[in-house]
């Protein structure tokens, strides 16, 4: 699939010491674009102006061109245009972007109407202004939010951002960016904090110094309270005991920011715990003066307040379920208060739970899994949390989850080849499954049950395979064998195709120059090569059956190719003859043994124009192959020659110009032509250059057919490029004007003095009815025929008395691009 796209981005000016300016032009283009820099209407280049430098930065892969204005001069204050072009490939027009450089050009500068951190209450309307303080041209302003897009309902107009009825979810960083393609963009950021509180938790910490995990009279005790808040440092805490504010004393202390606890945590420390200290403690978190509801958490301290224990209920240590079913893992927590239970995986390092979390909290100690899969099998850990309970070493237990699933076997399908009379062992092995054992195995041949295979020895507690032996492969025993293996959850099947037929041949696709053209005819031959896959696996190959059929035809030529004993890796060969240029053929090759026909292999062969140096024999290029005999498009011309035939012509092509078919008159035959429709202009040239030939004779003759039909026909020139002393193009032949809707032949003598190339140059005339075509180019040693072809004996095209079919307009540029890709 061919895709062509082109977009042009910005031109930027970066100032350095107020003397040098860099204008950067960036393009994203396929095919690669050509850059042109202009000051006003004048094209800039290194050679014409010493004050400019044009270069491609490193690692930009042809997508960027920089115009450097050195030591800025008065005339450098001007309008600059970067123009990019792909030479109208596929109708893509040129694109350009312009930048006005003045003595006031400057990068953008910004300031904000608020502080960089803005704290607001939920429900308030927020307005932030981003003010420009500099920049020429006038910068463009844009607001963005991170993470995620701007909130729903937010309105950004120019430099003003408005958020109505702001909520906690709207907190985050808001960025105002100013760009004017000069220097770097200016950026200012506001950190919007919407007051909120959530997740109130508490911790009970026994005497740390005495390393106690229980509450004991006479020892210290610490109660801690924490909420997640925005902003965190503005939260205040208040402690109550039995409904009354707690009074500070030498034995009752309130601290904040305990280094052993999360930031901004309030702790109430009871020194030398007395019986009178037992009671209910309440911690209240609030934002003073803000319309944010308070959060509170209650802790009861008594002789019954004990640290937690955790265990797995009886009979629940191992949970076995089938794949796709729900599962429930359970751990029981005792103690007062009872903390949440945290679940995690044990047997897989850093493995995620089915929820996608490393740790999952449950309030009742149950982990519920929906539609379990085999990868969920393993050991799960349940442990007590260190919050909403005792801040002590977590207690933990483990639960094993076994997920049962049907067996997977090997091989699922196998092609078994063996010579007639030889034995075969078929084995179906259990790769994985749960349970990991074979409960039953049933064998069938062509759908019919076979007697059970011999039982597995008693010592093997869990058989992992089932096998059957065929004493000898015969025509009767050849066919499909199936082994159905079950493990009480499900079943799987191994399939064996047993046969004595030969494997397919394997075509060799790297034959050098497989196509051989026939002199004086439109026929060709093809060297077909192949190897035999695993010839020793079955009986020896006796012969091959060859079938050759022209594509889009029904009849096929069939022939037997006898062979002697074929070795593995041996390259076999057969020459296909009397193939018609430029048709393609389907070739089928089938090996035969004493068993009969083996597997067939097929391939399509295509006519490939041979590329040879000129010799005494006729060397004609019919342009039937995409490689066009090694000819290439000249990169210094205005447009390209196009290869096409009657089947690939655009149905909307221009009428009354160009040939309907090639010289052979067949719709499949290709030729080369120049498309002179728009955007071509008078005098545009297209050059087709031959391969480089080594001169081994004094004289050569170039013969070719040309078609020059249309009232706007320009010129067709033949040039010879000599390579002995640099590249020098010499005119050898030229013809201009309308020559009728006929193919005519020309013979042009040349005498190159060294290595040379021939060039066909098509010149566009005054209008679009000027398509020129060439075909069947021949280069041979010796002089040209003295008697030139009678001009009256020309090849008249079918329907030449009537207006020709429309010529391509849209298709032409596409074909030119495709040919350019092949170079």
């Amino acid at each position: 699939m061919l895709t062509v796209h082109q977009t042009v981005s910005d031109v930027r000016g970066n100032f350095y010491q107020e003397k040098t300016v860099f204008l950067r032009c960036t393009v994203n283009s396929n095919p690669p674009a050509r850059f042109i820099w202009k000051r006003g209407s004048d094209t800039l280049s290194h050679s014409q102006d010493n004050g400019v430098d044009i270069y491609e930065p490193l690692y930009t892969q042809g997508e960027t061109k920089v115009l450097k204005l050195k030591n800025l001069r008065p005339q450098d204050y001007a309008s600059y245009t970067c123009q990019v072009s792909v030479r109208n490939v596929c109708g893509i027009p040129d694109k350009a972007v312009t930048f006005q450089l003045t003595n006031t050009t400057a990068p953008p500068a910004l300031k904000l109407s608020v502080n960089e951190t803005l704290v607001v209450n939920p429900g308030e309307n927020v307005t932030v202004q981003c003010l420009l303080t500099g920049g020429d041209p006038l910068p463009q302003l844009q607001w963005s939010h991170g993470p995620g897009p701007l909130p729903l309902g937010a309105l950004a107009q120019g430099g003003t951002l408005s958020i109505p009825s702001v909520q906690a979810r709207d907190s985050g960083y808001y960025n105002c960016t100013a760009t004017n393609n000069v220097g770097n963009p200016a950026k200012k950021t506001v950190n919007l904090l919407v007051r909120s509180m959530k997740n109130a938790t508490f911790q009970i910490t026994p005497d740390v110094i005495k390393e106690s995990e229980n509450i004991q009279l006479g020892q210290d005790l610490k109660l801690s309270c924490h909420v997640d808040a925005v902003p965190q440092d503005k939260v205040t805490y208040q402690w109550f005991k039995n409904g009354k504010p707690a009074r500070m004393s030498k034995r009752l202390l309130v601290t904040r920011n305990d280094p052993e606890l999360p930031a901004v945590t309030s702790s109430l420390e009871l020194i030398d715990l007395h019986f009178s200290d037992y009671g209910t403690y309440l911690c209240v978190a609030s934002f003073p003066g803000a319309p944010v509801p308070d959060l509170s958490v209650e802790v009861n301290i008594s002789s019954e307040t004990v640290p937690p224990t955790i265990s797995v209920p009886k009979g629940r240590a191992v949970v076995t379920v089938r794949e796709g079913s729900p599962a429930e893992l359970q751990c029981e927590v005792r103690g007062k208060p009872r903390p949440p239970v945290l679940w995690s995986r044990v047997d897989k390092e850093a493995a995620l739970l089915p929820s996608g979390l490393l740790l999952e909290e449950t309030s009742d100690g149950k982990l519920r899994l929906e539609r379990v899969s085999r990868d969920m099998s393993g050991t799960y850990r349940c442990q007590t949390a260190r919050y909403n309970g005792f801040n002590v070493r977590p207690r933990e237990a483990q639960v094993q989850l076994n997920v049962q699933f049907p067996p997977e076997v090997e091989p699922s399908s196998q092609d078994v080849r063996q010579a007639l009379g030889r034995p075969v062992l078929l084995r179906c092995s259990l790769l994985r499954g749960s349970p990991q054992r074979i409960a039953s195995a049933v064998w069938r041949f062509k759908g019919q049950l076979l007697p059970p295979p011999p039982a597995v020895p008693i010592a093997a507690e869990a058989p992992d395979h089932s096998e059957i032996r065929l004493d000898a492969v015969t025509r009767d025993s050849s066919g499909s064998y199936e082994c159905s293996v079950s493990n009480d959850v499900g079943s799987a099947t191994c399939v064996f195709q047993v046969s004595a037929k030969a494997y397919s041949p394997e075509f060799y696709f790297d034959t050098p120059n497989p196509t051989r053209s026939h002199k004086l005819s439109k026929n060709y031959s093809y060297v077909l090569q192949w190897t035999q896959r695993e010839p020793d696996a079955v009986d020896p190959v006796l012969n091959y059956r060859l079938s050759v059929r022209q594509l889009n035809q029904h009849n096929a030529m069939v022939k037997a190719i006898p062979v002697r004993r074929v070795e593995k890796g041996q390259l076999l060969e057969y020459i296909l003859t009397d193939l018609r240029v430029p048709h393609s053929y389907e070739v089928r090759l089938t090996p035969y043994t004493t068993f009969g026909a083996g597997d067939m292999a097929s391939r399509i062969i295509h006519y490939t124009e041979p590329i040879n140096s000129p010799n005494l024999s006729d060397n004609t290029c019919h342009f039937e192959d995409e490689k066009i005999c090694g000819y290439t498009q000249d990169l210094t011309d205005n447009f390209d020659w196009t290869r096409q035939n009657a089947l690939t012509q655009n149905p909307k092509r221009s009428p009354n110009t160009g040939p309907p078919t090639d010289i052979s008159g067949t719709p499949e035959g290709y030729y080369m032509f120049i498309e002179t429709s728009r955007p071509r202009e008078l005098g545009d040239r297209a050059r087709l250059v031959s391969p480089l030939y080594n001169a081994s004779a004094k004289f050569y003759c170039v013969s070719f057919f040309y078609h020059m039909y249309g009232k706007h026909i320009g010129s067709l020139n033949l040039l010879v490029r000599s390579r002995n002393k640099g590249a020098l193009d010499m005119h050898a032949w030229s013809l201009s004007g309308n020559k009728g809707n006929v193919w005519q032949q020309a013979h042009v003598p040349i005498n190159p003095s060294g290595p040379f190339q021939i060039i066909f140059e098509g010149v566009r005339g005054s209008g679009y009815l000027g398509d020129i075509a060439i075909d069947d180019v021949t280069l041979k040693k010796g002089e040209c025929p003295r008697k030139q072809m009678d001009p009256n004996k020309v090849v008249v095209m079918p329907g030449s008395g009537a207006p020709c079919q429309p010529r391509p307009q849209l298709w032409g540029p596409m074909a030119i691009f495709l040919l350019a890709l092949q170079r």
Side-chain angles (χ1 to χ4, degrees):
M1 179 177 180
L2 177 66
T3 59
V4 181
H5 60 275
Q6 175 177 304
T7 59
V8 179
S9 62
D10 58 352
V11 177
R12 299 179 180 177
N14 297 324
F15 286 76
Y16 294 88
Q17 301 178 354
E18 299 182 352
K19 292 183 179 180
T20 301
V21 173
F22 296 84
L23 300 179
R24 178 187 296 263
C25 184
T26 303
V27 60
N28 182 12
S29 174
N30 181 16
R34 179 178 62 180
F35 290 81
I36 299 175
W37 278 100
K38 293 183 178 180
R39 180 191 290 124
S41 59
D42 299 330
T43 301
L44 295 176
S45 66
H46 307 281
S47 58
Q48 296 177 354
D49 190 340
N50 292 330
V52 303
D53 190 12
I54 300 174
Y55 63 92
E56 177 183 333
L58 294 175
Y59 312 115
T60 58
Q61 299 180 348
E63 296 179 348
T64 301
K65 277 290 191 296
V66 173
L67 171 64
K68 179 181 179 181
L69 304 177
K70 300 177 289 186
N71 298 322
L72 210 60
R73 304 160 299 180
Q75 64 266 34
D76 292 330
Y77 294 115
S79 177
Y80 291 88
T81 299
C82 173
Q83 180 178 334
V84 293
S85 172
V86 292
R87 302 174 69 183
N88 206 55
V89 168
C90 295
I92 297 177
D94 295 351
K95 293 190 178 181
V97 63
T98 300
F99 182 85
Q100 182 70 40
L101 180 64
T102 69
N103 57 2
T104 61
T105 300
L110 292 175
K111 71 175 183 179
L112 292 173
S113 63
V114 299
N115 294 328
E116 292 184 352
T117 299
L118 180 62
V119 181
V120 298
N121 293 321
E124 292 183 356
N125 297 326
V126 175
T127 299
V128 181
Q129 288 186 321
C130 188
L131 305 174
L132 284 171
T133 59
D136 183 20
L138 183 66
Q140 299 293 320
L141 295 174
Q142 185 175 11
W143 281 95
S144 61
H145 178 229
L150 291 173
L152 292 176
L155 180 63
Q157 288 185 328
T160 302
L161 174 66
S162 300
I163 307 175
S165 187
V166 71
Q167 300 299 319
R169 61 179 177 273
D170 300 330
S171 294
Y173 291 94
Y174 290 81
N175 306 306
C176 176
T177 305
T179 57
N180 67 348
N181 294 333
V182 179
N184 294 322
K187 183 177 179 180
K188 291 292 184 179
T189 300
V190 177
N191 183 14
L192 178 63
L193 301 177
V194 182
R195 291 186 178 93
S196 64
M197 289 191 299
K198 60 182 180 179
N199 300 334
T201 59
F202 70 88
Q203 288 179 313
I204 302 173
T205 306
D207 198 322
V208 177
I209 297 177
K210 297 183 179 180
E211 299 181 351
S212 175
E213 291 192 347
N214 296 284
I215 297 176
Q216 298 183 26
L217 297 176
Q219 295 186 358
D220 297 344
L221 181 68
K222 180 166 63 176
L223 308 179
S224 302
C225 173
H226 176 80
V227 295
D228 296 330
V230 176
Q232 188 73 54
D233 58 346
K234 301 300 181 181
V235 178
T236 63
Y237 296 92
Q238 188 175 4
W239 287 91
F240 296 84
K241 178 185 178 184
N242 297 329
K244 298 180 180 180
R247 295 182 179 182
M248 302 300 102
S249 65
K250 293 183 180 179
R251 289 197 315 102
L252 194 152
L253 305 176
V254 175
T255 60
R256 187 179 173 97
N257 294 329
D258 190 323
E260 297 181 357
L261 299 173
V264 193
T265 297
S266 178
S267 297
L268 187 148
E269 297 188 37
L270 299 172
I271 309 299
D272 188 17
L273 186 68
H274 292 183
F275 181 81
S276 60
D277 294 327
Y278 285 166
T280 301
Y281 292 83
L282 179 70
C283 173
V284 179
S286 62
F287 275 129
V292 179
D294 295 344
L295 289 183
S296 62
V297 62
E298 191 175 81
V299 186
N300 185 47
I301 302 299
S302 68
S303 59
E304 297 178 354
T305 305
V306 293
T309 61
I310 195 169
S311 61
V312 178
K314 185 177 181 181
R316 301 289 296 173
V318 178
V319 177
T320 301
V321 295
R322 292 196 175 188
E323 191 171 38
S325 302
E328 183 178 272
L329 311 184
Q330 182 178 359
C331 286
E332 291 183 345
V333 178
R334 293 181 176 85
K336 187 177 182 180
R338 289 193 300 178
V341 174
L342 302 179
W343 288 89
S344 61
R345 299 287 295 266
V346 175
D347 50 350
K348 296 182 180 179
E349 183 178 354
L352 300 178
L353 292 165
S355 62
L357 303 173
L358 282 173
L359 282 175
E360 184 170 341
E361 177 185 319
T362 62
S363 58
D364 59 359
K366 296 179 180 180
L367 179 64
R368 296 171 177 86
L369 306 175
E370 301 292 336
R371 296 184 59 84
V372 296
S373 58
R374 64 193 66 181
D375 59 337
M376 297 182 187
S377 296
T379 304
Y380 289 74
R381 176 190 296 114
C382 58
Q383 64 183 38
T384 57
R386 300 181 69 170
Y387 54 87
N388 291 347
F390 275 76
N391 180 23
V392 295
R393 176 182 54 83
R395 275 58 169 166
E396 65 178 51
Q398 293 183 353
V399 179
Q400 178 70 32
L401 174 63
N402 293 331
V403 179
Q404 294 184 332
F405 57 91
E408 296 180 14
V409 294
E410 184 183 49
S412 59
S413 179
Q414 184 177 6
D415 189 7
V416 180
R417 305 292 177 100
Q418 186 59 278
L420 291 173
R422 295 182 184 176
V424 167
L425 180 66
L426 307 180
R427 170 177 288 191
C428 184
S429 300
L430 178 66
L431 284 180
R432 61 187 65 87
S434 179
Q436 181 72 23
R437 61 181 178 83
I438 295 178
S440 64
V442 177
W443 285 85
R444 290 180 173 87
F445 173 57
K446 296 181 179 181
Q448 301 297 318
L449 283 173
L450 293 176
V456 178
I458 298 177
E461 297 180 357
D464 61 355
H465 70 274
S466 178
E467 61 184 31
I468 191 172
R469 178 182 175 86
L470 305 181
D471 294 331
V473 174
T474 64
R475 287 182 175 84
D476 293 337
S477 63
S478 297
S480 176
Y481 290 79
E482 296 181 4
C483 177
S484 180
V485 171
S486 172
N487 68 345
D488 294 334
V489 177
S491 61
T493 302
C494 296
V495 179
F496 303 90
Q497 296 293 340
V498 178
S499 173
K501 67 179 181 178
Y503 285 105
S504 63
E506 297 177 334
F507 287 109
Y508 183 67
F509 290 90
D510 295 326
T511 305
N513 299 322
T515 306
R516 299 173 183 176
S517 294
H518 286 209
K519 187 176 180 180
L520 304 178
S521 73
K522 276 277 188 174
N523 290 352
Y524 71 98
S525 60
Y526 194 92
V527 180
L528 188 70
Q529 293 183 316
W530 71 92
T531 58
Q532 178 60 41
R533 177 187 171 192
E534 301 296 339
D536 297 329
V538 296
D539 298 296
V541 176
L542 303 177
N543 60 74
Y544 289 90
R545 176 179 173 177
L546 174 68
S547 172
V548 181
R549 180 184 62 85
Q550 181 181 322
L551 293 187
N552 302 322
Q553 299 291 329
H554 297 290
N555 297 330
M557 182 275 292
V558 180
K559 181 180 178 61
I561 305 174
V563 293
R564 297 183 178 179
R565 180 171 181 82
V566 178
E567 303 291 340
K568 185 175 182 178
Q570 178 183 354
L571 191 63
L572 305 174
E573 179 179 303
Y574 184 80
I575 300 177
L576 305 174
T577 59
D578 297 327
L579 306 177
R580 293 291 294 170
V581 174
H583 297 290
S584 299
Y585 292 82
E586 181 190 39
V587 176
R588 296 185 177 184
L589 197 61
T590 307
Y592 276 76
T593 64
T594 54
F595 179 79
D599 291 339
M600 180 269 295
S602 67
R603 64 169 292 189
I604 304 297
I605 62 172
H606 302 280
Y607 174 72
T608 303
E609 201 85 52
I611 302 176
N612 301 313
S613 298
N615 50 50
L616 295 178
S617 63
D618 191 11
N619 180 37
T620 301
C621 180
H622 305 291
F623 299 112
E624 303 298 343
D625 184 79
E626 292 181 355
K627 297 180 181 178
I628 57 174
C629 311
Y631 280 77
T632 57
Q633 308 284 354
D634 195 332
L635 299 179
T636 63
D637 57 8
N638 305 108
F639 66 112
D640 291 340
W641 286 79
T642 301
R643 172 179 172 268
Q644 76 169 26
N645 62 14
L647 302 178
T648 58
Q649 289 177 350
N650 192 319
K652 297 182 180 181
R653 62 189 183 277
S654 304
N656 301 321
T657 186
T661 67
D662 76 338
I663 184 64
S664 70
T666 61
E668 298 88 1
Y670 282 88
Y671 56 88
M672 301 297 294
F673 89 110
I674 60 169
E675 168 61 65
T676 58
S677 300
R678 297 178 63 182
R680 302 279 67 84
E681 297 178 353
L682 176 65
D684 281 0
R685 299 173 183 268
R687 287 186 166 193
L688 189 66
V689 184
S690 76
L692 182 64
Y693 301 118
N694 292 318
S696 58
K698 186 176 182 181
F699 298 102
Y700 289 89
C701 183
V702 181
S703 300
F704 59 93
F705 284 87
Y706 61 88
H707 190 282
M708 301 172 67
Y709 172 53
K711 65 179 182 179
H712 300 143
I713 290 290
S715 300
L716 176 62
N717 303 320
L718 178 67
L719 297 85
V720 178
R721 177 174 293 173
S722 179
R723 292 283 184 175
N724 58 340
K725 295 181 180 180
L728 181 62
D729 298 345
M730 301 293 294
H731 275 267
W733 179 89
S734 182
L735 193 63
S736 302
N738 183 3
K739 302 304 176 185
N741 188 17
V742 293
W743 283 100
Q744 304 185 57
Q745 190 175 29
H747 302 284
V748 182
I750 61 173
N751 57 342
S753 58
F756 68 98
Q757 295 168 287
I758 59 174
I759 302 173
F760 288 94
E761 181 183 65
V763 183
R764 202 258 196 185
S766 59
Y768 67 91
L769 299 178
D771 295 354
I772 298 174
I774 61 172
D775 198 7
D776 286 15
V777 178
T778 302
L779 178 64
K780 62 181 179 180
K781 295 179 181 179
E783 297 182 352
C784 290
R786 292 187 179 182
K787 184 178 180 181
Q788 296 293 319
M789 174 177 283
D790 188 340
N792 295 319
K793 294 182 179 180
V794 296
V795 181
V796 181
M797 303 311 303
S800 60
C804 294
Q805 300 177 9
R807 292 292 295 157
Q809 292 182 9
L810 298 178
W811 187 90
M814 180 72 74
I816 293 172
F817 177 70
L818 290 173
L819 291 173
L821 289 179
Q822 296 163 2
R823 288 200 295 267

